[in-house]
Amino acid sequence: MKERKIWRNGIKIAWLLFNVISILIWLPSLDRLFTQDHVLTSRYISLDDGWDIVINDSSYQDVSLDDFRFEAVNIGDTITMKRKLPDNWEITQGTLRFHIRHSAVRVYIDSQRVYDYGYERISENKTVGSGLQFINFPDEYKGKDLRIDFDLAEDNAFTKLDSVRIYGWENAYRSLLTENRIPLLFGCFLVIFGFSTMLITAFALLFSMKYVRILCISAFCMCMGLWTLCYYNVILMFAIPLYSVSLLEYVALYLSPVPLIIYMYDNVKNTKNKILKYIYWVLFMVQILFNITVMALHAKDIVHFAAVLKYFQVLIVCHLAYFIIIDVINLKSSHLMNRMYLIGLLVVAGCTGYDLFTYYEQRYYAKSVASIRGLSAVGMMVFVFILIISFYMNLAYRMMEEAERNSLLKSAYTDELTKLHNRRYCSEHMEQINRDKTKDYTVVCFDLNNLKVINDTYGHAKGDLLIKSAADVIGETFEKHGFVGRMGGDEFIAVLLTSAKKEIEAWMEQFQENIAKKNREVKDLNMSISYGYALSDELPEKDIEKVYQQADDRMYEYKKQYKLRTGAERGVAPKGI
């Protein structure tokens, strides 16, 4: 047993190493597919210097966007950016790429408007979203004056302006995907894995609720994958409107804690701490109420998602801190999965903290010192893998427990020799019939003839063969019409779910034929079985104990007549044994 366990653990470790090595080999190769033409596709003309900027009534001259910072702008504020375009650039069919943050925008070339976005939505108090915009920027714009006007739609929208660049038309989106390849890969994986697993799990839930946790993992993966693809703008390559991308981003983000909280309920329950359980329900209800309220306010265009983001981030910090505490407490059980949970949560907390830091750094400070993007997606991937491994390990453990429990139950209710139900099962089942007030049933009692004589004459091995043969015949004849069992020794019982006498008589005739058939199949068996039956209709109160007693009395009357006929009462063994 110990050697088998070591062998199984060795296989698991080998499989884990194989997967890790495969990932380490293939990820660099996959990364090279994105970056092999990066030198060509990433070529752009930077327009970050030489801007004249007006923010409301404040003017700034010869500004570099890398270093420029200002007080947070609010609803109704306006920002105007002006600069002269270069006289020469090598790109023939260009695309201007710039970032919009919760504002409507107009773009002018020599005072002629060439692009606008979001003003109709602002007039209706609708959200305009945030993200990259790509507009046609042909070669004929060289040397002309460029002006970009922003009209703010949200409070505290930003305190810096993002880089403005001109890409080749064919490379604009390729460059975006290359820059955000980590979020792209992990976001796509999370969405595809979550969606496919959700479909399979939804079907599996029709058969067992044990798959609820894997459904939670699937929903969490879907939410985090969609948020990643939207937040890092890679979903823009599908030509989805910017406000729709922002809507999808916020909905996915705000819904993501719900399946994770549901998943973690078992971990909270394992602590057996009432206060922690109470806190769990408080956090869960706060999250649900927060989501319902925020979505209702956004749908009515009263308060938009972006305005409550800081409150959501506070909730996320509370959830992470709470579940880290839960997993630290569960470490007392020394269970490997509890340690993995803790590691996963710490990884998520670290990656999320890093991305929050870079987000606020880019939003409120002039220059970002962080160059790596999308770590939260990596952290989520690590945590999702831990959740999946945990689920399947717990599922396997529970299935083993259930199989062991079923085996013990079967052992407790099964007669070892005949494999029929034993006396305990029969008694409990008969009590259930009384409780259910079953109207139509028949009780049949059986008793093997000559078992004592055969045991004394030929030994218990022969007697056991006779008992098993009787069990085979009784089970073959009556089990499909109700249930049969061994009450002990040479006594058997069948409870049939009908009180139609014609059916019972037909089955008893079949029973006699099956006895004869068994005697022909087994040499020198000469099996004989006495029986008696009673219908539930025969007694007005339909009490199964009384029906059973009546069937038992009739069986003994049958046995008494049999003994008188064969002389078995004198202890004479049947001929041929």
Side-chain angles (χ1 to χ4, degrees), residues 192-212:
I192 295 170
F193 171 81
F195 181 73
S196 57
T197 308
M198 186 179 291
L199 289 179
I200 297 170
T201 308
F203 178 75
L205 283 175
L206 297 175
F207 303 93
S208 175
M209 292 302 293
K210 69 177 69 173
Y211 299 102
V212 168

Short mmCIF file of all heavy atoms in Angstrom, two decimals, residues 192-212:
data_model
loop_
_atom_site.label_atom_id
_atom_site.label_comp_id
_atom_site.label_asym_id
_atom_site.label_seq_id
_atom_site.Cartn_x
_atom_site.Cartn_y
_atom_site.Cartn_z
N ILE A 192 -11.80 31.78 -22.82
CA ILE A 192 -12.08 30.52 -23.51
C ILE A 192 -12.26 29.39 -22.50
O ILE A 192 -13.21 28.59 -22.57
CB ILE A 192 -10.97 30.18 -24.51
CG1 ILE A 192 -10.95 31.22 -25.63
CG2 ILE A 192 -11.16 28.79 -25.09
CD1 ILE A 192 -9.75 31.14 -26.54
N PHE A 193 -11.34 29.32 -21.53
CA PHE A 193 -11.44 28.27 -20.51
C PHE A 193 -12.73 28.44 -19.70
O PHE A 193 -13.46 27.47 -19.46
CB PHE A 193 -10.24 28.33 -19.58
CG PHE A 193 -10.36 27.43 -18.38
CD1 PHE A 193 -10.07 26.08 -18.47
CD2 PHE A 193 -10.79 27.93 -17.16
CE1 PHE A 193 -10.21 25.25 -17.37
CE2 PHE A 193 -10.93 27.11 -16.05
CZ PHE A 193 -10.64 25.77 -16.16
N GLY A 194 -13.01 29.68 -19.27
CA GLY A 194 -14.19 29.92 -18.46
C GLY A 194 -15.47 29.59 -19.19
O GLY A 194 -16.37 28.94 -18.64
N PHE A 195 -15.58 29.99 -20.46
CA PHE A 195 -16.80 29.76 -21.23
C PHE A 195 -17.02 28.28 -21.48
O PHE A 195 -18.12 27.75 -21.28
CB PHE A 195 -16.72 30.52 -22.56
CG PHE A 195 -17.94 30.36 -23.41
CD1 PHE A 195 -19.12 30.99 -23.07
CD2 PHE A 195 -17.90 29.58 -24.56
CE1 PHE A 195 -20.26 30.84 -23.85
CE2 PHE A 195 -19.03 29.42 -25.34
CZ PHE A 195 -20.21 30.05 -24.99
N SER A 196 -15.97 27.58 -21.94
CA SER A 196 -16.12 26.15 -22.24
C SER A 196 -16.43 25.34 -20.98
O SER A 196 -17.29 24.45 -20.98
CB SER A 196 -14.86 25.61 -22.92
OG SER A 196 -13.72 25.84 -22.11
N THR A 197 -15.73 25.66 -19.89
CA THR A 197 -15.97 24.95 -18.63
C THR A 197 -17.36 25.24 -18.08
O THR A 197 -18.02 24.36 -17.52
CB THR A 197 -14.91 25.34 -17.59
OG1 THR A 197 -13.61 25.17 -18.14
CG2 THR A 197 -15.03 24.46 -16.34
N MET A 198 -17.83 26.48 -18.27
CA MET A 198 -19.16 26.84 -17.79
C MET A 198 -20.24 26.03 -18.51
O MET A 198 -21.21 25.57 -17.89
CB MET A 198 -19.41 28.34 -17.98
CG MET A 198 -20.71 28.84 -17.37
SD MET A 198 -20.92 30.62 -17.61
CE MET A 198 -19.63 31.24 -16.53
N LEU A 199 -20.08 25.84 -19.82
CA LEU A 199 -21.06 25.06 -20.57
C LEU A 199 -21.10 23.61 -20.09
O LEU A 199 -22.19 23.04 -19.88
CB LEU A 199 -20.71 25.09 -22.07
CG LEU A 199 -20.92 26.42 -22.80
CD1 LEU A 199 -20.50 26.28 -24.26
CD2 LEU A 199 -22.37 26.86 -22.71
N ILE A 200 -19.92 23.04 -19.89
CA ILE A 200 -19.86 21.64 -19.43
C ILE A 200 -20.43 21.51 -18.02
O ILE A 200 -21.20 20.61 -17.72
CB ILE A 200 -18.40 21.13 -19.48
CG1 ILE A 200 -17.89 21.13 -20.92
CG2 ILE A 200 -18.29 19.74 -18.88
CD1 ILE A 200 -16.40 20.88 -21.05
N THR A 201 -20.06 22.46 -17.16
CA THR A 201 -20.48 22.41 -15.76
C THR A 201 -21.98 22.63 -15.62
O THR A 201 -22.63 22.00 -14.78
CB THR A 201 -19.73 23.46 -14.94
OG1 THR A 201 -18.33 23.33 -15.17
CG2 THR A 201 -20.01 23.28 -13.45
N ALA A 202 -22.54 23.53 -16.45
CA ALA A 202 -23.99 23.77 -16.40
C ALA A 202 -24.75 22.48 -16.68
O ALA A 202 -25.78 22.19 -16.05
CB ALA A 202 -24.38 24.85 -17.40
N PHE A 203 -24.23 21.66 -17.60
CA PHE A 203 -24.86 20.38 -17.89
C PHE A 203 -24.65 19.40 -16.73
O PHE A 203 -25.56 18.67 -16.34
CB PHE A 203 -24.25 19.79 -19.18
CG PHE A 203 -24.78 18.44 -19.54
CD1 PHE A 203 -26.05 18.29 -20.08
CD2 PHE A 203 -24.02 17.29 -19.33
CE1 PHE A 203 -26.54 17.04 -20.40
CE2 PHE A 203 -24.50 16.04 -19.66
CZ PHE A 203 -25.77 15.91 -20.20
N ALA A 204 -23.43 19.42 -16.15
CA ALA A 204 -23.12 18.50 -15.04
C ALA A 204 -23.97 18.81 -13.81
O ALA A 204 -24.31 17.91 -13.03
CB ALA A 204 -21.64 18.58 -14.68
N LEU A 205 -24.35 20.08 -13.62
CA LEU A 205 -25.16 20.46 -12.45
C LEU A 205 -26.54 19.84 -12.48
O LEU A 205 -27.20 19.75 -11.44
CB LEU A 205 -25.29 21.98 -12.38
CG LEU A 205 -24.06 22.74 -11.86
CD1 LEU A 205 -24.28 24.24 -11.95
CD2 LEU A 205 -23.76 22.35 -10.42
N LEU A 206 -27.00 19.40 -13.65
CA LEU A 206 -28.29 18.72 -13.73
C LEU A 206 -28.26 17.40 -12.98
O LEU A 206 -29.31 16.88 -12.58
CB LEU A 206 -28.67 18.48 -15.19
CG LEU A 206 -28.86 19.74 -16.06
CD1 LEU A 206 -29.12 19.35 -17.52
CD2 LEU A 206 -30.02 20.58 -15.53
N PHE A 207 -27.06 16.85 -12.79
CA PHE A 207 -26.91 15.55 -12.15
C PHE A 207 -26.38 15.64 -10.73
O PHE A 207 -26.67 14.78 -9.90
CB PHE A 207 -25.98 14.64 -12.98
CG PHE A 207 -26.44 14.46 -14.40
CD1 PHE A 207 -25.98 15.28 -15.41
CD2 PHE A 207 -27.38 13.49 -14.70
CE1 PHE A 207 -26.42 15.12 -16.72
CE2 PHE A 207 -27.82 13.31 -16.00
CZ PHE A 207 -27.36 14.13 -17.01
N SER A 208 -25.59 16.67 -10.43
CA SER A 208 -25.02 16.79 -9.09
C SER A 208 -24.65 18.23 -8.80
O SER A 208 -24.08 18.92 -9.66
CB SER A 208 -23.78 15.90 -8.95
OG SER A 208 -23.16 16.10 -7.70
N MET A 209 -24.96 18.70 -7.57
CA MET A 209 -24.63 20.06 -7.15
C MET A 209 -23.17 20.17 -6.70
O MET A 209 -22.72 21.26 -6.34
CB MET A 209 -25.55 20.50 -6.02
CG MET A 209 -26.99 20.67 -6.44
SD MET A 209 -27.19 21.87 -7.78
CE MET A 209 -26.70 23.38 -6.93
N LYS A 210 -22.44 19.08 -6.73
CA LYS A 210 -21.04 19.13 -6.29
C LYS A 210 -20.16 19.96 -7.25
O LYS A 210 -19.04 20.31 -6.91
CB LYS A 210 -20.47 17.71 -6.16
CG LYS A 210 -20.29 16.99 -7.48
CD LYS A 210 -19.66 15.62 -7.31
CE LYS A 210 -20.58 14.64 -6.63
NZ LYS A 210 -20.04 13.27 -6.62
N TYR A 211 -20.71 20.25 -8.45
CA TYR A 211 -19.94 21.00 -9.43
C TYR A 211 -20.17 22.51 -9.34
O TYR A 211 -19.73 23.25 -10.23
CB TYR A 211 -20.28 20.51 -10.84
CG TYR A 211 -19.94 19.06 -11.05
CD1 TYR A 211 -20.93 18.08 -11.04
CD2 TYR A 211 -18.62 18.66 -11.25
CE1 TYR A 211 -20.62 16.75 -11.22
CE2 TYR A 211 -18.30 17.33 -11.42
CZ TYR A 211 -19.30 16.38 -11.41
OH TYR A 211 -18.99 15.06 -11.58
N VAL A 212 -20.83 22.97 -8.29
CA VAL A 212 -21.08 24.41 -8.14
C VAL A 212 -19.77 25.18 -8.07
O VAL A 212 -19.63 26.27 -8.65
CB VAL A 212 -21.94 24.69 -6.88
CG1 VAL A 212 -21.96 26.17 -6.55
CG2 VAL A 212 -23.35 24.20 -7.10
#
